[in-house]
Amino acid sequence: MATASTTSTLDVLRIRKDFPILNRKVNGQPLVYFDNAATSQTPQQVIDVIVDYYSNYNANIHRGVHALSQEATDAYEQARIKLQKHFNIPNAYQTLFTSGTTHGINIVASGFAEILKAGDEIIVSALEHHSNIVPWQMLCEKTGATLKVIPMTTSGELDMEGFDAILSEKTKLVFVNHVSNALGTVNPIEEIITKTHQVGGAVLVDGAQASPHIKANVQALDVDFYVVSGHKMCGPTGIGMLYGKEKWLEKLPPYQGGGEMIDQVTFEKTTYAGLPHKFEAGTPNICGGIAFGAAIDYMNAIGFEHIAAYEHELLTYATQKLQEIEGLRIYGESKHKTAVISFNIGDIHPYDIGTILDKLGVAVRTGHHCAQPIMDFYKIPGTVRASFSFYNTKEEIDIFVNAVRKAKSMLG
C-alpha cells in the first residue's frame, strides 16, 4: 500500500496510449472510466495476444500432436508459470486456471462439503462480496456447520476484537477479502491468517480487488487459498486463478467431472489426474489464460510499486475534491485503502447521480456493489462508487467532480 509520502514516476500519458477504449466518446463527451473495480480496461498489447491466438494457433490443448495444438499448449502453460511467479506460488501445478474468482471460491466450497460436519464453524467478514458469502451459506446448509461473521466498524474496517471473540478451535475455515470491493479497505489478512492457523483453521483470501494494486506473495502470507480474476488486472473476462496449498489441493475432491481431469476411465472405476488437471475439467478458456499471462507481463513492466504510488495520489486528490462538496458523505474511511471512493449526497439516490454522470461521459458504478450487508450496516440502498486505475488522471478527476456537482444541482 502506498503512503502519502510516496511519489509516483509513471508516464501516464504514454500509458494511456496503450488503451484504445480511452479514446472513445460517450454521449458526445470524452470517456472518463472510473469503474475499474468492476473491470479494468485492456491494453493493446493484450488485445494483440488475443488476436494472434485466434489468427495463428487456435487449437485445443494437451491432447494434440499437431503443431497448432502444441503451440497453444506451450503458450497456455507458459501463462500458468507467469502467474506462478507473479504470486510466488511454490509450484506451477498449484496454480489452477478458473473462470474467475467466483469459480475459484466455489471449487473450495464444494470440496469442503465432504470435510465439514455439524458443529464445525466457518467465518466470513462483514465486508465480503456476495461471491464470498453465498457459497459458504450453501456449504453450511449442506454440512450443518455454523457461519459466523467478523463485524465491521463505522470507518469501514474489520473489528478485530470481534474476530478474536468468534475464533475458536471449532473454526475450520475463514474467508476474507484482501480488499473490499465496496469500500476499498485493505484488510489485515496477515493477522487473520496467523490467528486462524493457531487454532488449526484454513484461510481463503479473495484477492480480486487487491490484485490490480497489490502484488500478493502467497508464500509470505502463508495463506491456504488465494483467488483472483483476470479482468481486474487488464486481462479478459472469463479467466481467473485459484492458488491452493498442495496438502489441501490433494485432499479436496474434484469439482467437476469430464475430460482432462481423469487418469483412467472404465465403467467400473475412474481415477483422477494429478494437479492441476484434477480441477480443470473440459476445454478451458485457452485464449483467456494466455491473455491473462500477457496482462501480468504488462502490469509488471509498469511495476506494482509505481502503480500503487500513483493510484494513491489519485485517491488522495479525488477524496479532497469530493469532500469540498456540501452534503457528500464518503463511506469507508480506513487509512489503509486502495483507489476506491464510495459516496452519497444527502438523500439523492445513487442511481440518479450515476445516470447523470453517464450523460456527461463519466462511468461509475451505482448500487449495492454485490455487498448488501455493508449497505444494510450503513442503512443505505447503495452508493456511487468511483474506482481509479493507473491509466486515469487528475484531469479526469476534475471532470468527474464537476459532473458530481452538476448532478447535485440538478437533483438536490
Side-chain angles (χ1 to χ4, degrees):
M1 180 65 186
T3 63
S5 61
T6 306
T7 302
S8 70
T9 57
L10 293 188
D11 185 349
V12 180
L13 295 182
R14 181 193 62 77
I15 288 171
R16 286 177 63 84
K17 294 178 182 178
D18 292 338
F19 293 83
I21 200 169
L22 299 181
N23 293 320
R24 71 160 292 180
K25 292 187 176 182
V26 173
N27 294 317
Q29 303 294 326
L31 170 64
V32 174
Y33 185 79
F34 284 173
D35 194 22
N36 295 286
T39 198
S40 61
Q41 293 302 336
T42 306
Q44 189 64 51
Q45 291 88 331
V46 176
I47 296 171
D48 290 343
V49 167
I50 296 170
V51 173
D52 181 50
Y53 170 79
Y54 282 113
S55 299
N56 293 302
Y57 60 104
N58 177 25
N60 215 327
I61 57 174
H62 295 145
R63 297 179 293 278
V65 297
H66 60 83
L68 268 61
S69 178
Q70 292 181 11
E71 290 174 12
T73 298
D74 289 346
Y76 188 73
E77 293 303 330
Q78 282 299 312
R80 191 191 304 274
I81 291 171
K82 290 176 183 180
L83 291 170
Q84 174 205 353
K85 292 180 177 178
H86 177 81
F87 291 100
N88 194 29
I89 295 171
N91 302 290
Y93 58 76
Q94 294 171 260
T95 311
L96 312 183
F97 278 117
T98 66
S99 65
T101 295
T102 300
H103 182 198
I105 291 170
N106 277 275
I107 289 174
V108 178
S110 175
F112 270 92
E114 300 190 16
I115 297 174
L116 295 184
K117 61 184 184 302
D120 290 338
E121 295 178 354
I122 62 179
I123 295 174
V124 300
S125 91
L127 296 180
E128 299 309 303
H129 187 282
H130 294 165
S131 65
N132 209 24
I133 298 174
V134 178
W136 311 121
Q137 292 175 326
M138 296 169 68
L139 179 61
C140 288
E141 291 173 358
K142 291 178 181 178
T143 63
T146 301
L147 181 70
K148 295 196 170 185
V149 181
I150 308 171
M152 61 180 287
T153 68
T154 54
S155 62
E157 298 176 308
L158 293 181
D159 179 350
M160 294 304 291
E161 290 184 1
F163 174 62
D164 293 340
I166 60 176
L167 184 67
S168 74
E169 292 184 355
K170 293 182 180 180
T171 304
K172 304 304 177 185
L173 291 163
V174 174
F175 315 101
V176 63
N177 51 33
H178 197 160
V179 170
S180 165
N181 73 297
L183 305 178
T185 305
V186 180
N187 288 317
I189 60 170
E190 294 90 344
E191 180 182 352
I192 291 171
I193 293 166
T194 298
K195 290 182 175 180
T196 303
H197 286 169
Q198 287 172 352
V199 299
V203 180
L204 180 147
V205 171
D206 173 355
Q209 292 299 323
S211 55
H213 317 287
I214 300 168
K215 191 170 183 176
N217 181 332
V218 298
Q219 291 191 71
L221 290 171
D222 195 28
V223 67
D224 299 280
F225 302 97
Y226 198 90
V227 289
V228 300
S229 293
H231 71 97
K232 310 287 190 185
M233 302 180 69
C234 297
T237 56
I239 192 71
M241 181 206 76
L242 162 64
Y243 156 73
K245 285 186 175 178
E246 187 169 1
K247 67 176 183 179
W248 284 117
L249 295 180
E250 293 289 0
K251 188 173 185 178
L252 297 183
Y255 177 59
Q256 293 177 312
E260 188 69 26
M261 52 74 67
I262 58 89
D263 178 29
Q264 297 291 326
V265 176
T266 68
F267 286 112
E268 291 71 34
K269 182 177 177 60
T270 293
T271 57
Y272 305 127
L275 300 173
H277 307 299
K278 170 184 172 183
F279 294 101
E280 295 182 347
T283 299
N285 183 354
I286 303 166
C287 181
I290 296 168
F292 192 6
I296 291 286
D297 285 343
Y298 179 84
M299 295 190 73
N300 277 320
I302 295 172
F304 276 78
E305 289 186 3
H306 298 308
I307 288 172
Y310 179 67
E311 289 176 346
H312 185 80
E313 288 182 22
L314 294 180
L315 174 65
T316 301
Y317 183 77
T319 301
Q320 292 172 346
K321 291 292 184 180
L322 287 173
Q323 287 175 335
E324 295 172 1
I325 299 176
E326 185 177 355
L328 187 146
R329 176 182 175 182
I330 294 175
Y331 298 89
E333 297 178 296
S334 171
K335 294 179 181 178
H336 306 287
K337 63 182 291 188
T338 57
V340 172
I341 301 177
S342 278
F343 67 92
N344 283 326
I345 303 175
D347 295 328
I348 303 174
H349 199 283
Y351 177 85
D352 295 332
I353 296 174
T355 300
I356 292 177
L357 295 188
D358 178 63
K359 298 297 184 184
L360 299 172
V362 179
V364 296
R365 184 70 42 167
T366 62
H368 55 63
H369 316 300
C370 290
Q372 285 180 307
I374 294 177
M375 304 305 144
D376 291 342
F377 175 83
Y378 288 117
K379 296 180 173 57
I380 55 176
T383 67
V384 180
R385 185 187 69 188
S387 49
F388 314 116
S389 186
F390 58 89
Y391 44 71
N392 292 129
T393 66
K394 291 180 180 178
E395 290 75 15
E396 288 183 311
I397 290 173
D398 290 338
I399 294 171
F400 158 66
V401 172
N402 288 334
V404 171
R405 289 184 180 278
K406 185 170 184 179
K408 180 192 173 187
S409 67
M410 293 174 65
L411 298 167

